[in-house]
Amino acid sequence: MLTSRFPLCTIKETPADADTASHRLMLRAGMIRKLAAGIYSWLPLGLRVLRRIETVVREEMQRAGATELLMPSVQPKELWEESGRWGKYGHLLLRMQDRKEQWYCYGPTHEEVICDIVRNEIRSYKQLPLTLFQIQTKFRDEIRPRFGVMRAREFVMKDAYSFHLDQASLDATYQVMYDAYARIFTRLGLEFRAVQADSGDIGGDISHEFQVLAESGEDAIAFSEQSDYAANVELAEAAPPPPRPAPAQPLKRVATPTQKTIAAVTAFLGVGPQRCVKTLLLRIPGGLVALCLRGDHELNEVKAGKLPELQKGWTLASEAEVLAATGAPAGFIGPVGLRDSIAVIADRSAAALADFVCGANKDGTHLTGANWERDARLTRVADLRSVVDGDLAPDGKGRLKIARGIEVGHIFQNGCKYTEAMHVGVLDEQGKLQTPLTGCYGIGVSRIVAAAIEQNHDERGIIWPEPLAPFQIALLPLNMHKSEKLQAAAQVLYQELITAGYDVLMDDRELRPGPMFADMELIGIPHRLVLSDRSLDAGTVEYKGRRDAQPQDVARRDLLPFLTARLQVST
RNA sequence: CGGGGUGUAGCUCAGCCUGGUAGAGCACUUGGUUCGGGACCAAGGGGCCGCAGGUUCAAAUCCUGUCACCCCGACCA
């Protein structure tokens, strides 16, 4: 490809509203342009990268036994009413009407459509197990899109769905997909981790996320350095605490006139936050619930949301509700002496404390030497907190570290959630109608582009992992317009490289060398060849890898073998 | 949805407070010089000052409304 025929669209200045490295570099390199909030055009350069990822994903999906199809991006309301998600999916669903005023949505995911296809086309157990996938543009009307294509509203996703007669078959395919995902992200040259995950609204029991490790990631993941344990912090557990010691101190009331926060109370009383119990009062339909946590721990809302008491929704109690229920303002409430109608659910770590400090349910007062059972009613113990760095791993092997990641893949076992709702049935060997089990497997194709850049860039621009690079080789003939000799030599080399099977971008613009170098480094081409009258006279070509500190001269006649040793021929 | 902010040339922004012929840098076009790390000189093209109302002799500037976008939060296979 010649730069004169390939619009590079690079920009020198940093766009004002780009906050992360990948967003900034994708705009500067001319890969994407914003059309509206969370909606981007893919310019030619960006599209080449996107296609490279799609190719790897497609190859690995096929190798894993999945078959490609393509479903519509626009889906009728009726299908979503069958699954019950027209209402449940909420504002994420972009709804629209056609000329007949029929309602549709722009598909945020395709469980409904795939179930409709399978129930119409698949009749017999002989056709199962079946795994279908597509690479499609989806739309989720995120409340706050940000970071460019990392959290866009419109995005490209690979989604696969598998159908099974029994759990063993689902387990087997799930494992095949898990392995395929690991191979995909490895092939793409990304540093990633597979972690146990919450299955969220998709539903189901078993679920893993594939997280690309990056400081700017929106997810926190916990993993043990001495075992395989790795989980999203939404879900991660610590090993249970040791059993509660017996009470040793008497319950004592202390005046804490202005100490409303854990930090203030601990400083005032000279005890660590891990000796305190903080109490959160939640409003649920028809009542209140108290959740108790150790002072140094945070409530994990995903875990709390699974409590039976909170199934019908919850919010934090208002200041007025707290006062009415406990007689004290927030900051002074505690589990001791709460009225009987309020269930007291303590996190395992809080429940393991003896002689703790907590609010006295009286303005300006705390208690010391408080103890469960003796002083405070305990309805139930549950795992309610988020793990923190240094917690013991749940398998007892090693301590947990917390890192940040970008979720690029997510696999689920859904059981019969969708097939049941959508009335998918297949006849088994006995001629009996069975509801198949399903798995679903997503990869954020466009998000991977951003994730790869987050992991691979420097102050000059992007540094593409080889398999993602829009071009393999940048060929820069310097000041070619002034030298016919150089023009001829460049043309010959360009043709040679193409014939050898390389993906080459030759810069034939009448630019000074500086801007040429800068552009190629910005767009991250992994290998650079420079031709000049000087090198022509010396019979050499200058080579520099994108990560190399210094260029090197290679004899012209040795160039092809030199490249063969360094890079793969593209297909 | 709550809070904050911004809409002026392709991009980054000044001008607005205190109303009076719309600006700079970068980018673009042409000519010249230069040219192995984002050159220089000269000449040029480019604007419904987000949109709609209002006040005024006169509005980018003041007032009202509206739309879009950005940031923080809630939200998020």
Side-chain angles (χ1 to χ4, degrees), chain A residues 190 212 447-457 463-465 468:
Chain A
L190 299 170
V212 165
R447 181 182 282 181
I448 287 175
V449 180
I453 296 173
E454 289 295 329
Q455 267 189 1
N456 300 283
H457 68 272
I463 308 175
W464 288 115
L468 294 186

Side-chain angles (χ1 to χ4, degrees), chain A residues 1-7 48 470-471 473 475 494 498 502-508:
Chain A
M1 186 59 71
L2 301 173
T3 50
S4 57
R5 287 174 37 205
F6 190 90
R48 288 180 76 97
F471 298 95
I473 299 174
L475 176 56
Y494 177 59
I498 288 173
Y502 296 115
D503 222 332
V504 188
L505 181 64
M506 178 159 89
D507 201 340
D508 60 341

